[in-house]
Amino acid sequence: MPDSPSLLHTDIVDSLPQAVFVCDGAGVYLRANPAYERLTGFAHAALLGQPMLARIHDGVSLPSVGDATSCSSAICRHRDGRALHVQLSLTRCLPPGAEAPVYIGTAMPEPARDTAAGLGWHQGFHDAWTQLPNAPWLGVRTALKLQRG
């Protein structure tokens, strides 16, 4: 296991199946994980240090000082010119010791939203080990049964 927390965080971000990136206030990429590279068609080296956020994601604006997170449907321009519909989430944060905020972004292809929502529902209402319905699911079902009479 790595000793450095930043290396550990890098390993975690790189292993995520979601497309994740970090940029500064000017839209300059500071980090992109392999899933984001696959989504956009751009290699990490081509993204790093480049102000490409507005070019890749049409019409995207970074959250302002008062807003912490923005989430919207957006177009992701693949390197080959294809326009992909994605759900783009940007979160503004100020890392410890940093003078300026950074923006952490995730991009999920639109068809995957329904799958993710279904997976979230399943995980929320089923035991992870047995895959059987859990107590919250029984509570929901009981409440529905009582409402119906």
Side-chain angles (χ1 to χ4, degrees):
M1 172 153 306
D3 294 331
S4 167
S6 63
L7 180 58
L8 176 62
H9 294 161
T10 298
D11 290 345
I12 291 170
V13 169
D14 282 351
S15 68
L16 291 173
Q18 296 87 3
V20 178
F21 63 91
V22 178
C23 68
D24 66 10
V28 174
Y29 284 94
L30 305 173
R31 175 117 189 80
N33 74 349
Y36 190 76
E37 293 175 30
R38 286 189 298 277
L39 179 71
T40 64
F42 289 96
H44 185 262
L47 292 169
L48 193 63
Q50 299 300 316
M52 295 175 57
L53 182 65
R55 186 177 127 203
I56 292 176
H57 298 288
D58 293 348
V60 168
S61 60
L62 296 170
S64 62
V65 174
D67 300 326
T69 301
S70 69
C71 188
S72 63
S73 289
I75 297 293
C76 174
R77 295 274 170 210
H78 192 274
R79 195 181 98 217
D80 66 11
R82 286 181 290 148
L84 308 169
H85 293 272
V86 297
Q87 186 67 25
L88 186 68
S89 175
L90 288 161
T91 302
R92 181 183 180 273
C93 61
L94 187 64
E99 294 178 16
V102 296
Y103 298 85
I104 300 169
T106 59
M108 185 183 331
E110 289 284 352
R113 281 193 311 175
D114 296 332
T115 303
L119 180 61
W121 178 88
H122 183 81
Q123 289 173 338
F125 287 114
H126 291 78
D127 180 77
W129 188 59
T130 64
Q131 297 300 314
L132 294 172
N134 61 12
W137 175 243
L138 291 174
V140 168
R141 297 296 296 168
T142 302
L144 287 172
K145 191 88 163 162
L146 290 173
Q147 281 179 346
R148 289 183 206 147

